[in-house]
Amino acid sequence: MRVRLLGIVLALVALLVVGLGVPLALSVSSREAQRLFLDRLTDTSRYASLAQRPLLENQPTALSEQLASYRAVYGIDTVVFDTDRNVIATSSLDNRKPPFDGHSAPVEPELTEALAGKHSSPKSFLLPWDTSKLVIAEPVLADGTVRGAVVTVSPTDNAMAEVVLWWVVILVGGMAALSLAVLVALPIVSWTLRPVRRLDEATGGLVASVMMGRPVPPVDDGHGPSELRHLSRSFDQMAASVSDTLAAQRAFVADASHQLRNPLTALRLRLGNLEGHVDAEEAEHHAAAMAEADRLGQIVDDLLSMARAEGMGGELVPVDVVAAVSTRVTDWEAVADFGQVRLVLTTPSEPVTALAPPGGVELMLDALLDNALKFTASGTDITIEVSIVDKRVRVAVRDHGPGLQPEELDRATDRFWRSTAHQNITGSGLGLSIVRRLAERSGGGVGLDLPEGGGLRVTIDLPQS
């Protein structure tokens, strides 16, 4: 945005420079053309007056010497014609041959106008690329009758040099003005866009800061236009409100889950104490109450895990993924053996380090293994693979359970979502949601697919440190 605004400012300044410079340059060119024309017109008119007697008395030599001297001093060719276009006097050595004979075409229009009794008109502009000479023709009048014409052909080199000099001065002045505009515009643009830049940076980091539980740095620093500062203050208020709301929500989930554990534990103990003291016809209801108490306890535990996952703040730290995964697999082997399920771990020979919140890799793997063990039948394997793909650390957990329908894969990581085919299996529907939240907190993601041979594969991608 800074480059774009600076470009707009420079474009406006350039248009201003061009809008002032071009008319000024043309004005200089027009002024110089007028000055040269008037200067040469005065001489031409004087020689038209002097040519009356030689034309009437047929004495051309009386004027030829003056014309030759005029040419020697100023380099201007002059010719006197009679009404039949015959040369009467000339500034050249050959008194009967015009000095501009090889360039007679530009002279003809002016000579025709002069013999008709008309005066020459000045050029509008004297342009550097116009190499033609200045031709002026004046009629020679005697008693109001045209007796001939005097034509002067003047070089324009000196006047052209003056025009070029002024044009160079105007160009250099325009470039200097443009450079000065750049020097002035840079700090002004930076000062104007500073709140916008801080807003852009804060907007990009708002979600990460809020989700990690970190305070959002204020945008308003007291610099910039008043309108943008007002916008910055409004943004700070909004960010603080969002951060406080999410923090209150997390605190509520954590506190509520924690407060529910003690009553649930007491309820579970009381229901357990009733075992053997319930009538046979009520035993089914007692067993259902025990199952619901266990399910509610699982939900509370998962809510606490979710609150812990969402409350992980601070910066990401390098984590030895191979060591963390190996430790958790070893701890879960006892549970797997009880269900007659084998955990198969495949890791690279060298250490693999990824960026993640402290304890995040272990929490994600616990959720995935717990989920996989619920759906894997006895006598099958759960494979855990750690690898590096495209400079990303990948952890894949694949079970051999019933899997999901293809259209259910996108919803599997939503909170409390469970497939209609798995309603009879204990769980809260929060496991994959916790994994997704921790992976996104690490700058990675979660993917689900249905591998050949059945089951479900959950893949975690984490940034490599």
Side-chain angles (χ1 to χ4, degrees):
M1 182 178 291
R2 177 184 177 184
V3 174
R4 186 181 305 171
L5 184 57
L6 183 60
I8 293 174
V9 172
L10 293 183
L12 292 176
V13 174
L15 287 175
L16 181 61
V17 169
V18 172
L20 294 176
V22 171
L24 181 59
L26 293 178
S27 175
V28 169
S29 178
S30 176
R31 183 198 65 190
E32 199 62 28
Q34 292 285 343
R35 185 194 64 78
L36 180 64
F37 176 80
L38 292 175
D39 183 67
R40 297 297 181 263
L41 180 62
T42 301
D43 293 342
T44 306
S45 298
R46 183 170 66 87
Y47 284 117
S49 299
L50 295 175
Q52 291 179 4
R53 182 175 178 182
L55 283 172
L56 293 175
E57 299 177 1
N58 195 20
Q59 297 178 353
T61 56
L63 189 59
S64 295
E65 293 180 0
Q66 295 188 43
L67 298 182
S69 299
Y70 183 63
R71 183 179 187 278
V73 175
Y74 298 104
I76 300 174
D77 294 316
T78 309
V79 179
V80 180
F81 294 91
D82 61 13
T83 54
D84 295 327
R85 297 177 182 267
N86 297 318
V87 176
I88 302 303
T90 177
S91 59
S92 65
L93 297 177
D94 187 348
N95 201 38
R96 295 295 175 180
K97 183 178 180 181
F100 41 81
D101 222 20
H103 306 281
S104 57
V107 174
E108 287 299 325
E110 300 292 338
L111 178 58
T112 301
E113 293 287 327
L115 292 176
K118 298 180 180 179
H119 299 278
S120 296
S121 300
K123 284 186 175 182
S124 299
F125 301 102
L126 193 61
L127 303 176
W129 51 85
D130 186 1
T131 58
S132 61
K133 295 184 178 182
L134 177 62
V135 179
I136 298 178
E138 283 292 302
V140 179
L141 301 174
D143 299 328
T145 303
V146 177
R147 300 294 183 175
V150 176
V151 178
T152 59
V153 179
S154 308
T156 59
D157 298 344
N158 293 335
M160 203 71 74
E162 188 74 14
V163 171
V164 171
L165 177 62
W166 275 106
W167 281 24
V168 170
V169 171
I170 293 171
L171 179 61
V172 171
M175 297 300 295
L178 193 61
S179 301
L180 181 62
V182 172
L183 295 177
V184 173
L186 277 174
I188 293 178
V189 169
S190 299
W191 175 78
T192 303
L193 292 182
R194 181 171 180 176
V196 178
R197 185 171 61 253
R198 289 177 60 86
L199 273 172
D200 181 63
E201 295 172 353
T203 302
L206 173 63
V207 176
S209 297
V210 171
M211 297 307 295
M212 289 184 178
R214 297 181 306 198
V216 181
V219 175
D220 183 24
D221 60 352
H223 295 86
S226 58
E227 295 82 0
L228 292 178
R229 291 178 57 191
H230 178 72
L231 178 62
S232 300
R233 288 192 293 269
S234 299
F235 179 87
D236 290 338
Q237 294 173 1
M238 181 270 295
S241 177
V242 171
S243 180
D244 293 343
T245 301
L246 286 178
Q249 178 187 0
R250 291 173 185 156
F252 171 77
V253 172
D255 294 343
S257 301
H258 181 74
Q259 293 298 324
L260 285 173
R261 294 189 73 176
N262 291 335
L264 280 174
T265 302
L267 177 61
R268 182 68 176 77
L269 289 174
R270 290 177 181 275
L271 289 174
N273 291 334
L274 290 176
E275 190 172 354
H277 301 282
V278 180
D279 295 339
E281 62 224 16
E282 302 296 336
E284 180 180 353
H285 297 291
H286 177 264
M290 290 285 292
E292 288 300 319
D294 292 338
R295 180 172 175 271
L296 188 55
Q298 181 65 43
I299 291 175
V300 170
D301 290 338
D302 288 343
L303 283 174
L304 284 173
S305 298
M306 174 64 75
R308 178 187 172 194
E310 292 183 339
M312 285 184 175
E315 298 295 331
L316 303 178
V317 297
V319 177
D320 188 341
V321 178
V322 173
V325 170
S326 299
T327 301
R328 298 316 300 153
V329 169
T330 300
D331 292 341
W332 278 91
E333 281 181 347
V335 181
D337 291 340
F338 180 79
Q340 298 180 355
V341 175
R342 193 164 66 102
L343 302 181
V344 180
L345 175 61
T346 303
T347 61
S349 56
E350 67 277 1
V352 176
T353 306
L355 292 176
V361 174
E362 293 85 348
L363 192 57
M364 286 187 283
L365 198 63
D366 285 344
L368 292 182
L369 290 176
D370 179 61
N371 195 66
L373 287 169
K374 290 177 183 178
F375 296 100
T376 298
S378 299
T380 59
D381 296 341
I382 295 177
T383 59
I384 305 98
E385 181 180 3
V386 180
S387 59
I388 299 177
V389 180
D390 297 332
K391 297 183 179 181
R392 306 276 288 183
V393 178
R394 177 169 293 178
V395 180
V397 177
R398 185 257 173 98
D399 62 50
H400 289 80
L404 297 172
Q405 297 298 319
E407 62 273 12
E408 295 177 331
L409 294 177
D410 292 336
R411 297 195 56 196
T413 57
D414 292 346
R415 290 184 178 183
F416 299 106
W417 183 88
R418 302 185 69 198
S419 174
T420 54
H422 304 155
Q423 296 299 322
N424 59 332
I425 299 177
T426 59
S428 62
L430 287 173
L432 291 179
S433 180
I434 294 173
V435 174
R436 186 193 68 180
R437 184 56 56 87
L438 286 171
E440 292 175 348
R441 179 72 54 80
S442 305
V446 175
L448 283 73
D449 67 289
L450 303 174
E452 294 183 4
L456 177 68
R457 177 165 51 213
V458 182
T459 303
I460 305 171
D461 281 328
L462 300 175
Q464 188 176 6
S465 66

